[in-house]
């Protein structure tokens, strides 16, 4: 299924992207992702975007479960996922190969009845 996309703009220039992809419509499950230009890291944009797509997923798409993942060493992304109420559900060892090096991934998720005021 095609992903629904939300793009973030700042002073008419694209600073990154985020989106939600419905993995299983019958089970009402989706995953989210986000990327930001490094110039905008640490300013709250990733958290704001992730909150917005969670809200969209639960309120508009009526998802039951929304999950995401990040490279385990990416502490900023870990903080974003935990800040928006996601719980760590898994640790996938050497899951991703980036520039010739293997990295672990953390798997996070949140359920519709767990979502706090987003």
């Amino acid at each position: 299924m095609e992903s629904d996309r939300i793009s973030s703009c700042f002073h008419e220039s694209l600073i990154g992207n985020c989106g939600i992809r419905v993995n299983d419509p019958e089970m009402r499950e989706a995953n989210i992702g986000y990327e930001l230009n490094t110039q905008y890291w640490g300013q709250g944009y990733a958290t704001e975007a992730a909150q917005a797509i969670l809200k969209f997923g639960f309120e508009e798409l009526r998802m039951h479960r929304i999950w995401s993942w990040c490279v385990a060493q990416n502490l900023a992304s870990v903080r974003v996922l935990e800040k928006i109420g996601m719980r760590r559900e898994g640790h996938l060892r050497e899951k991703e190969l980036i520039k010739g090096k293997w990295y672990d991934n953390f798997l996070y998720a949140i359920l519709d009845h767990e979502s706090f005021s987003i």
Side-chain angles (χ1 to χ4, degrees), residues 39-56:
Q39 179 181 348
Y40 298 97
W41 287 3
Q43 298 178 43
Y45 294 118
T47 301
E48 185 178 343
Q51 287 173 328
I53 53 180
L54 266 189
K55 181 177 173 140
F56 178 76

Side-chain angles (χ1 to χ4, degrees), residues 18-20 30-35 44-59 64-70 75-88 106-118:
C18 63
I20 184 166
N31 73 77
I32 66 169
Y34 48 85
E35 297 173 304
Y45 294 118
T47 301
E48 185 178 343
Q51 287 173 328
I53 53 180
L54 266 189
K55 181 177 173 140
F56 178 76
F58 288 131
E59 293 181 4
H64 169 66
R65 180 176 189 276
I66 299 176
W67 61 272
S68 190
W69 62 268
C70 66
L75 299 181
S77 200
V78 166
R79 281 192 299 275
V80 167
L81 296 174
E82 291 177 352
K83 216 184 283 186
I84 64 172
M86 289 191 156
R87 294 185 193 179
R88 188 179 306 170
F106 287 149
L107 178 63
Y108 282 85
I110 188 170
L111 305 176
D112 55 356
H113 57 85
E114 295 174 329
S115 66
F116 59 101
S117 57
I118 43 179

